[in-house]
């Protein structure tokens, strides 16, 4: 009888039994980052999920899945707050930032020239005031061709440096593009509407309240978190500005929530 029972177990049955005995791994690929690991990273965007969560960590699998669906490889859970829905199954909203990489973007230190004109990196170009912004239009196959023509125009204007501010489609049918190029003198002055001149080298700058009254944002975004002071809010707003390809930003509004709770921050973005 024993021999007959043993014959019932074929190779497939044994393989299945082994697989079932192995530890169950997270089927979602996005990995969690600690606060320290996420500190110097620029998020793709903020995501949120609503469900029955007693604490933020309970939402890890659901956040990982949502990050996967958004095409991200990493996530950092930031905060949790009570859900404001009529669904009794929803007890909390969990917010997280998602990322493509867990490595800070390397900063190019070496000065680059093209057609005898210095190509300013983004951080330097935004910090200094150009003496002129020129516009031109053309049909280009790649950014290298655009940079070549932009540098030639900069050389004709006797500029020390240039920076391509924007490339936008002009005529989709004919594949034409509108290009804005900022031109700089060697002794260019610092922009007077930047809030702090001590942050030279950043990829987005906060503007003054006076500038806020006169500048027109191209978009207003919001994000969530628990912050101890305005400096922390500004630093987080800067990350979101960079993620949205903004050159400048202004913290327009902060929700007046009780201490220790989640705040909503509204930020104006500018080119």
């Amino acid at each position: 009888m024993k021999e007959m029972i043993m014959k019932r177990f074929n190779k497939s049955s044994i393989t299945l039994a082994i697989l079932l005995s192995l530890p169950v791994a997270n089927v979602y690929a996005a990995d969690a980052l600690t606060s320290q690991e996420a500190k110097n990273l620029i998020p793709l965007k903020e995501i949120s999920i609503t469900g029955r969560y007693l604490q933020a960590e309970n939402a890890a699998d659901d956040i990982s899945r949502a990050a996967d669906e958004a095409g991200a490889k990493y996530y950092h859970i930031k905060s949790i707050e009570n859900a404001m829905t009529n669904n009794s199954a929803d007890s909390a909203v969990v917010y997280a930032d998602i990322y493509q990489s867990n490595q800070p973007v390397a900063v190019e230190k070496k000065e680059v020239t093209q057609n005898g004109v210095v190509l300013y990196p983004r951080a330097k170009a935004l910090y200094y005031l150009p003496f002129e912004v020129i516009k031109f239009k053309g049909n280009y196959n790649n950014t290298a061709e655009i940079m070549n023509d932009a540098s030639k125009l900069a050389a004709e204007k006797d500029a020390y440096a240039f920076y391509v501010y924007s490339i936008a489609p002009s005529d989709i049918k004919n594949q034409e593009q509108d290009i804005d190029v900022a031109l700089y003198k060697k002794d260019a002055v610092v922009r007077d509407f930047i809030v702090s001149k001590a942050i030279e080298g950043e990829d987005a700058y906060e503007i003054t309240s006076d500038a806020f009254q006169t500048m027109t944002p191209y978009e207003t975004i919001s994000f969530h978190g628990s912050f101890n002071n305005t400096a922390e809010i500004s630093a987080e707003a800067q990350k979101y500005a960079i993620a949205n390809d903004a050159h400048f930003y202004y913290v327009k509004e902060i929700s007046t929530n009780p201490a220790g709770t989640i705040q909503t921050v509204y930020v104006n973005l500018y080119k």
Side-chain angles (χ1 to χ4, degrees):
M1 186 68 172
K2 181 179 180 182
E3 185 178 343
M4 291 178 63
I5 294 174
M6 289 298 292
K7 285 181 180 179
R8 293 178 186 173
F9 290 93
N10 56 29
K11 187 181 291 185
S12 297
S13 299
I14 295 171
T15 302
L16 179 60
I18 293 173
L19 289 174
L20 290 174
S21 68
L22 294 175
V24 178
N26 186 349
V27 295
Y28 310 121
D31 294 326
L33 298 175
T34 65
S35 296
Q36 190 61 33
E37 289 171 331
K39 184 178 180 181
N40 297 315
L41 301 180
I42 303 300
L44 283 174
K45 62 180 180 179
E46 179 187 77
I47 62 172
S48 65
I49 56 173
T50 304
R52 184 169 289 174
Y53 307 112
L54 295 178
Q55 54 188 13
E57 289 73 17
N58 296 147
D61 281 351
D62 291 340
I63 286 289
S64 181
R65 177 175 58 190
D68 265 2
E69 292 172 351
K73 296 180 181 178
Y74 301 91
Y75 67 90
H76 169 57
I77 295 176
K78 299 188 300 181
S79 53
I80 183 171
E81 68 177 346
N82 293 335
M84 301 294 290
T85 72
N86 295 323
N87 189 341
S88 60
D90 295 336
S91 59
V93 182
V94 177
Y95 298 97
D97 283 336
I98 59 175
Y99 308 83
Q100 280 283 26
S101 171
N102 63 347
Q103 297 297 318
V105 177
V107 178
E108 177 63 54
K109 298 293 185 181
K110 185 178 179 181
E111 191 172 81
V112 177
T113 60
Q114 198 159 351
N115 290 314
V117 186
V118 174
L119 172 59
Y120 269 170
R122 174 185 168 112
K124 199 162 189 176
L126 301 184
Y127 190 71
Y128 290 103
L129 187 68
F131 70 85
E132 186 177 352
V133 176
I134 59 175
K135 301 175 182 290
F136 65 96
K137 182 182 296 186
N139 188 327
Y140 297 96
N141 297 312
N142 51 55
T143 54
E145 292 181 359
I146 294 173
M147 290 296 179
N148 186 51
D149 278 5
S151 62
K152 287 179 179 178
L153 290 172
E156 291 174 5
K157 292 280 188 175
D158 198 28
Y160 169 75
F162 76 101
Y163 172 71
V164 176
Y165 241 77
S166 67
I167 302 171
S170 172
D171 186 336
I172 297 176
K173 182 179 179 181
N174 296 317
Q175 296 184 333
E176 281 190 328
Q177 295 161 303
D178 284 326
I179 295 98
D180 293 353
V181 183
L183 307 179
Y184 302 84
K185 295 294 186 183
K186 191 169 186 177
D187 56 351
V189 298
V190 177
R191 293 179 188 268
D192 59 4
F193 57 78
I194 295 175
V195 167
S196 172
K197 296 180 182 180
I199 58 172
E200 180 181 0
E202 302 293 341
D203 280 334
Y205 291 98
E206 189 172 7
I207 64 171
T208 64
S209 55
D210 289 339
F212 163 70
Q213 301 295 330
T214 59
M215 293 174 65
T216 303
Y218 70 87
E219 187 178 0
T220 299
I221 63 170
S222 64
F223 60 89
H224 303 78
S226 180
F227 306 100
N228 296 311
N229 49 55
T230 55
E232 289 184 2
I233 293 173
S234 178
E236 193 71 7
Q238 184 185 64
K239 290 183 181 181
Y240 281 98
I242 296 170
N244 286 274
D245 200 32
H247 293 157
F248 307 96
Y249 67 95
Y250 183 80
V251 178
K252 178 184 177 183
E253 184 182 346
I254 305 167
S255 61
T256 55
N257 297 352
T261 62
I262 305 307
Q263 295 168 292
T264 304
V265 181
Y266 299 90
V267 182
N268 281 357
L269 303 180
Y270 308 83
K271 289 289 189 183

